[in-house]
Amino acid sequence: MVVAVLLAGGSGSRMGGDRPKQFLEVKGKTILEWTIEAFHQHPGIDEIAIVSRADSMEEVRRLALPYPKVRRILKGGKERYDSSLAAIKAYEDDSCRILLHDAVRPLVTQRIITDCIEALNRYQAVDVAIPSTDTIIEVSEEGTINRIPVRSTLRNVQTPQGFHRGTIRKAYEIALQDPHFQTTDDCGVVFRYLPETPICVVEGDTRNIKITYPQDLTLLKE
């Protein structure tokens, strides 16, 4: 079974306004609905789960009613990884394949979803990324340049990130025993705590942005 998990627990503070950005309307639908549609129409997705803030679960449930593939509305937590964990714990079959996706990336393409699903036939973990177009610098605590990595080897990470459920479950079990555990990225958990597990990188798309600032909405309006 392939499950798309939409992580919709963010507050959207950088967007401004009094509503989380996943509930902003563009062309008659919320950003969350556009994202649900992208996965709902893909034939390789068997089920969709949405992880929400506790105070938004009823609104998410209402928005999801027209989409029969949405089977679970789950409560997230304080940190982003709490939302990932809520989804991981909701499924018991370790062979289940899970795509964790930011609910505010509504422009994810059918090609990206397909490539992630197909990559999971060969790998236990899959990331999505695009080449970095900017030079990246590593700085010291004093604010000086420590290192300038070779740009051709660098990528900007997107979502979805895909996993066999048993792999991401095991990675988090080890991670949560680390008193210094911090992460904003699920593939990063596998990379750090299951270093023997290769992570396939699927090519992303420049339009597959995370809606963060008001100007980002112009892409969705096109």
Side-chain angles (χ1 to χ4, degrees):
M1 182 168 71
V2 179
V3 179
V5 176
L6 307 186
L7 304 174
S11 62
S13 57
R14 284 174 289 185
M15 180 67 76
D18 57 359
R19 283 173 61 74
K21 56 194 172 184
Q22 56 268 31
F23 299 123
L24 295 178
E25 285 198 12
V26 180
K27 296 196 296 188
K29 294 179 183 177
T30 64
I31 291 173
L32 177 58
E33 288 174 281
W34 286 115
T35 307
I36 294 172
E37 282 197 1
F39 287 90
H40 193 272
Q41 67 185 1
H42 195 286
I45 298 297
D46 299 304
E47 182 172 317
I48 298 172
I50 303 173
V51 186
S52 169
R53 292 167 27 148
D55 59 358
S56 301
M57 292 182 73
E58 284 306 314
E59 184 168 8
V60 169
R61 192 170 284 110
R62 177 181 60 80
L63 293 173
L65 280 175
Y67 305 99
K69 282 188 181 180
V70 179
R71 307 280 173 77
R72 302 177 193 238
I73 310 295
L74 306 170
K75 184 171 72 172
K78 180 181 178 182
E79 304 294 338
R80 184 191 184 280
Y81 71 80
D82 290 321
S83 294
S84 297
L85 282 169
I88 294 163
K89 292 174 181 177
Y91 295 90
E92 298 180 355
D93 183 357
D94 274 351
S95 67
C96 173
R97 290 173 287 172
I98 296 175
L99 301 183
L100 296 167
H101 185 70
D102 299 318
V104 290
R105 287 187 192 268
L107 295 172
V108 61
T109 66
Q110 298 295 286
R111 191 270 304 165
I112 290 175
I113 298 170
T114 296
D115 287 354
C116 287
I117 293 172
E118 291 182 352
L120 285 173
N121 291 329
R122 296 174 287 117
Y123 293 90
Q124 295 289 311
V126 176
D127 207 348
V128 173
I130 58 173
S132 176
T133 57
D134 297 314
T135 297
I136 305 296
I137 61 173
E138 180 182 283
V139 299
S140 68
E141 291 182 0
E142 292 75 30
T144 58
I145 294 178
N146 264 349
R147 190 169 66 95
I148 304 177
V150 178
R151 190 171 67 186
S152 62
T153 66
L154 300 177
R155 300 292 184 271
N156 292 331
V157 171
Q158 301 180 337
T159 64
Q161 295 183 339
F163 309 91
H164 288 237
R165 188 262 183 183
T167 298
I168 190 65
R169 174 189 57 77
K170 183 178 179 182
Y172 267 110
E173 284 178 356
I174 298 170
L176 293 174
Q177 296 175 34
D178 179 358
H180 305 294
F181 170 62
Q182 290 183 333
T183 188
T184 58
D185 175 74
D186 297 298
C187 276
V189 180
V190 173
F191 181 79
R192 181 173 180 181
Y193 295 99
L194 294 179
E196 74 285 359
T197 301
I199 302 172
C200 175
V201 180
V202 163
E203 183 179 352
D205 190 293
T206 55
R207 286 176 57 86
N208 182 29
I209 67 168
K210 185 176 182 180
I211 304 295
T212 304
Y213 301 104
Q215 57 266 32
D216 296 334
L217 294 172
T218 57
L219 269 180
L220 192 52
K221 291 175 181 177
E222 292 178 359

